[in-house]
Amino acid sequence: MVAKVHDIQMNDVNGILPNQKKTDDKQWLRSRKNVWLGTLFCGCAALYACRTTMPITIVAITKELEWSKTDAGSVLSCFFWGYSLTQVIGGYLSDRFGGEFVIMSAAIGWSVITFWTPQIVRTFDDHSVTLTFVILSRVLMGLCQGMHFPSVTSLSSQRLPDEDRTSFFSTVSAGVHLGTIFSGSIGSYVLESYGWPSVFHVTGVFAISWVLFLKYFVIERQISLSALKSTTDSQSQQQICPARTSVPWLILFRSSGFWAMIISHICETNSTHILISWLPTYFHENFPGSKGWVFNVVPWIICIPFSILGGWTAENLIRKGFTVTFVRKLMETLAQLGKAFFLLLIGSVQSFEAALFCMTFALAAGSFHNCAVFINPQDIAPKYAGSVFGLMNMAGAIPGFIGVYLAGHILEVTGSWIAVFNITAIVNVVGAVVYVCFGTGRCIVP
């Protein structure tokens, strides 16, 4: 009788009712899932608040240090040099040892670097030396942030059943838009009122606060619950350190669906990185009287419901009997072709309101990528989702330093924003066509 009461108490602690079926020990139960959903949502917000702080402040920094557009493009794009290098290792470590600790360790790095960026900028009097050290700090920040999404992918793949992953991941990914809103609204206000260094300090404090919450209120709580549960379940240690075999890369490399996923992701991230990096500069140059908080906030407010709606729609279509392959292709087509349409349209508009409308819905359409290719590694390789996502996102980071830099170079040589947007739209169309023809939602390596 005492043992039965203890079992009921343990189930209640973990968020499961006495009459509910017990799930796999590795998976989150109801209460822990909700805690991690909120925590990872805020973590993505902190991640992107830090990432987008430089694009928000680049105009002011460029003016103060007399950088050219090529210099500014180098600073904006070099983040992705580091970002691309740690994708696979971040996913591998998460698959082997658990994504919780990888997320926290990396977050310590990118949050502290954000806070100290103004000190790095103003340490040296020589602007060329300053440029070099700013680039190095951005590369290091990219190295740290590159581990985040592969770790989130690995964590959700390990801890959630198949039917819950799409909506969970889409909701968590919507946090990136909240982070951009944070830097665009509060960051723009702080920039205008107190100067660009304060933007990095405020964003850095926000990120460091999230890291402390993650460590002391989420991870340590999970460890405590696991230790308590281990008194009745000797298998509980697997919940923290799940065993993993080597990733069957050769099987994946021979699959056309795997390569379609990689190519489509590259095409979509190309447009996303270019818009995130150059959007503030575009509005400053073409509509100098516009308010920074408007164009830095409005597009990302719309993106949040679009991302959540996309995940909900995809999940419900699958539950109604549509194949995962069909749903992934449908959502990716809406993402890439929708973004291409509005990018082509923006070249013909003249007013600030029309430009803001086109830019907003280009980014909002791209939110459907979160419930399509972005979650595809969990479809094709659920046991190795972190490592596969890491490789995919490493490839997706390439446009970050090539596309963003080339956009700056095109602008400096031609001064044409239309050329940048048209080329970007064409790349999106290519991504949609490739994925529709060759993409898959079937499991390739079970």
Side-chain angles (χ1 to χ4, degrees):
M1 181 68 181
V2 174
K4 184 175 181 180
V5 171
H6 176 72
D7 288 343
I8 293 175
Q9 290 174 336
M10 283 302 304
N11 286 339
D12 184 61
V13 166
N14 287 281
I16 186 170
L17 298 176
N19 63 343
Q20 282 183 300
K21 183 179 178 180
K22 187 177 179 180
T23 60
D24 190 328
D25 285 336
K26 295 179 183 179
Q27 294 181 352
W28 288 320
L29 299 173
R30 186 175 56 213
S31 61
R32 298 309 298 166
K33 172 189 171 182
N34 292 335
V35 168
W36 276 101
L37 178 67
T39 302
L40 292 175
F41 178 86
C42 293
C44 287
L47 182 91
Y48 260 69
C50 291
R51 184 183 300 188
T52 55
T53 298
M54 184 60 78
I56 293 293
T57 58
I58 191 65
V59 174
I61 298 175
T62 298
K63 184 178 180 180
E64 178 179 318
L65 301 181
E66 299 178 348
W67 286 344
S68 66
K69 271 199 171 60
T70 300
D71 292 335
S74 297
V75 171
L76 292 172
S77 64
C78 68
F79 168 89
F80 298 99
W81 304 348
Y83 189 73
S84 64
L85 296 177
T86 51
Q87 296 286 329
V88 176
I89 187 63
Y92 173 78
L93 291 174
S94 299
D95 286 343
R96 288 296 301 270
F97 305 111
E100 305 96 324
F101 308 107
V102 179
I103 291 171
M104 183 187 69
S105 300
I108 293 172
W110 53 258
S111 59
V112 171
I113 291 170
T114 299
F115 185 85
W116 282 105
T117 295
Q119 283 67 35
I120 296 172
V121 172
R122 290 183 165 172
T123 297
F124 307 98
D125 295 327
D126 189 322
H127 287 183
S128 63
V129 175
T130 298
L131 179 63
T132 300
F133 274 88
V134 170
I135 288 175
L136 288 175
S137 69
R138 294 287 293 171
V139 171
L140 183 58
M141 184 175 172
L143 287 169
C144 295
Q145 289 209 352
M147 296 186 179
H148 184 85
F149 278 111
S151 300
V152 172
T153 299
S154 176
L155 192 61
S156 59
S157 180
Q158 294 168 13
R159 308 297 184 137
L160 293 171
D162 294 349
E163 61 270 17
D164 290 343
R165 291 174 188 165
T166 301
S167 60
F168 182 90
F169 201 75
S170 296
T171 302
V172 167
S173 298
V176 305
H177 307 307
L178 180 63
T180 311
I181 291 171
F182 179 91
S183 60
S185 56
I186 297 177
S188 295
Y189 171 77
V190 172
L191 175 64
E192 294 177 3
S193 302
Y194 303 101
W196 66 262
S198 297
V199 182
F200 287 93
H201 291 151
V202 170
T203 308
V205 168
F206 169 48
I208 291 170
S209 300
W210 176 78
V211 173
L212 294 175
F213 178 85
L214 173 66
K215 174 174 171 56
Y216 292 108
F217 294 95
V218 180
I219 293 180
E220 290 198 357
R221 172 66 173 166
Q222 178 170 295
I223 293 173
S224 298
L225 289 175
S226 297
L228 178 63
K229 191 176 180 182
S230 67
T231 60
T232 58
D233 187 357
S234 63
Q235 304 266 325
S236 65
Q237 184 61 27
Q238 294 178 4
Q239 188 170 353
I240 300 298
C241 299
R244 285 289 181 270
T245 57
S246 59
V247 182
W249 291 116
L250 289 179
I251 297 176
L252 290 167
F253 290 162
R254 289 195 292 263
S255 169
S256 59
F258 172 81
W259 290 110
M261 177 188 71
I262 297 288
I263 293 171
S264 184
H265 187 60
I266 290 173
C267 294
E268 205 285 330
T269 55
N270 175 71
S271 57
T272 299
H273 294 326
I274 288 174
L275 292 180
I276 288 177
S277 298
W278 288 107
L279 182 147
T281 306
Y282 166 76
F283 280 106
H284 275 300
E285 290 190 355
N286 290 275
F287 308 100
S290 58
K291 296 292 184 180
W293 67 267
V294 176
F295 57 75
N296 285 326
V297 172
V298 171
W300 310 108
I301 290 178
I302 303 300
C303 285
I304 294 176
F306 266 70
S307 181
I308 296 173
L309 175 64
W312 180 85
T313 302
E315 200 167 86
N316 276 273
L317 287 174
I318 293 171
R319 285 176 175 170
K320 288 180 178 179
F322 292 93
T323 65
V324 175
T325 297
F326 172 80
V327 173
R328 297 289 183 252
K329 289 183 176 182
L330 172 64
M331 303 310 291
E332 190 64 20
T333 299
L334 292 174
Q336 302 249 28
L337 295 187
K339 182 177 283 188
F341 172 77
F342 286 107
L343 286 176
L344 292 173
L345 187 61
I346 199 172
S348 62
V349 302
Q350 302 296 326
S351 68
F352 169 74
E353 292 77 13
L356 182 64
F357 176 87
C358 292
M359 194 69 75
T360 296
F361 282 93
L363 290 165
S367 299
F368 291 136
H369 183 71
N370 293 339
C371 56
V373 167
F374 206 56
I375 201 174
N376 207 201
Q378 299 184 43
D379 300 324
I380 67 174
K383 290 185 179 179
Y384 313 98
S387 299
V388 174
F389 181 93
L391 181 62
M392 179 186 77
N393 220 30
M394 180 183 72
I398 294 174
F401 53 84
I402 294 180
V404 173
Y405 175 82
L406 287 178
H409 183 70
I410 291 171
L411 289 171
E412 186 162 349
V413 173
T414 68
S416 174
W417 285 98
I418 294 177
V420 172
F421 292 142
N422 287 352
I423 294 171
T424 305
I426 292 171
V427 174
N428 278 127
V429 173
V430 171
V433 171
V434 169
Y435 194 72
V436 168
C437 292
F438 303 104
T440 183
R442 294 182 296 103
C443 182
I444 298 174
V445 285

